[in-house]
Amino acid sequence: MPVSLQPKSVGPSNMFVLIVSFPCGHEFSSDVSKNGTFTSPNYPEPYPEDVYCVYSFMGRGKERVQIQFTDFDLHLPHEPPRDCDSVDAVMVFITINGQKERVDNFCGNKLPAQLMSNGPSMLVEFRSYHSSPEVKGFRAIFKFVTDLLEIFFSGSFLSGPDEDPDSIGHFSVSGLSLEMPSTGIKGNH
């Protein structure tokens, strides 16, 4: 566990504060398991403050990483700032043209939408600045998948008429728009 001493001014005298970083995270490979779960540290109990976790997902070939959060409860001292900056957050990254690109940041307690990578890898980072006895962190299910049509027909990305009639037969996978030929419906989504 990394430990550092940092100076801190307190009144007329100076003192040093012991900072202990809480390492966490995991590397998931489709060679080991095609599905599973990952959580914030101590889940469902409150996670510690000053945490930085990296969850790396590595598939093979045409595999894609699918992530569905089943519980999401992060400390939020006030309304979330734009892009969840400076608050406890989960950040999701994919690779585009060899570069790590952020898909989105999530904070607070709103359950994020299901995520799908554009290739065989995805990176999820969790950072915390605070800890609170009222929050429990997050839990998510991951799958390495190869059949995008199976995902579509299972309802994972299906939009129905109650949501947007033009979206039937369409779904987006990290910027990739697909159309089901049998629907004949076209549109930009």
Side-chain angles (χ1 to χ4, degrees):
M1 187 175 300
V3 177
S4 65
L5 287 175
Q6 296 184 0
K8 184 171 185 172
S9 291
V10 179
S13 64
N14 289 330
M15 62 183 287
F16 283 88
V17 177
L18 181 65
I19 304 294
V20 178
S21 299
F22 186 93
C24 60
H26 192 79
E27 187 170 307
F28 299 97
S29 169
S30 66
D31 291 338
V32 176
S33 179
K34 297 291 186 194
N35 57 63
T37 62
F38 65 103
T39 65
S40 55
N42 299 336
Y43 179 87
E45 300 300 319
Y47 52 83
E49 63 183 27
D50 297 322
V51 169
Y52 177 71
C53 305
V54 177
Y55 306 90
S56 175
F57 300 87
M58 295 300 299
R60 289 192 171 269
K62 295 184 179 191
E63 289 180 326
R64 301 294 179 258
V65 183
Q66 178 183 15
I67 295 178
Q68 178 69 52
F69 286 91
T70 58
D71 198 4
F72 199 85
D73 185 23
L74 304 184
H75 177 71
L76 192 62
H78 46 77
E79 283 301 309
R82 188 167 186 251
D83 294 328
C84 298
D85 288 334
S86 304
V87 297
D88 297 359
V90 170
M91 299 146 295
V92 180
F93 300 89
I94 58 174
T95 303
I96 299 176
N97 296 326
Q99 299 293 317
K100 178 176 149 180
E101 299 287 339
R102 185 179 70 190
V103 173
D104 210 346
N105 290 347
F106 305 101
C107 55
N109 59 9
K110 185 179 178 200
L111 203 60
Q114 182 169 276
L115 301 163
M116 177 71 73
S117 68
N118 63 332
S121 64
M122 184 181 277
L123 195 68
V124 176
E125 297 179 0
F126 170 59
R127 67 163 187 249
S128 77
Y129 299 105
H130 305 94
S131 182
S132 169
E134 290 86 38
V135 296
K136 55 185 171 179
F138 68 86
R139 179 183 184 273
I141 298 169
F142 73 88
K143 294 179 187 175
F144 291 97
V145 296
T146 54
D147 189 349
L148 295 180
L149 293 179
E150 180 181 320
I151 295 165
F152 175 77
F153 287 116
S154 73
S156 296
F157 290 94
L158 184 62
S159 297
D162 293 338
E163 296 171 26
D164 179 4
D166 292 333
S167 67
I168 298 173
H170 265 80
F171 64 99
S172 289
V173 180
S174 296
L176 171 67
S177 181
L178 299 177
E179 178 183 342
M180 299 304 298
S182 62
T183 66
I185 298 172
K186 296 181 179 178
N188 294 325
H189 298 282

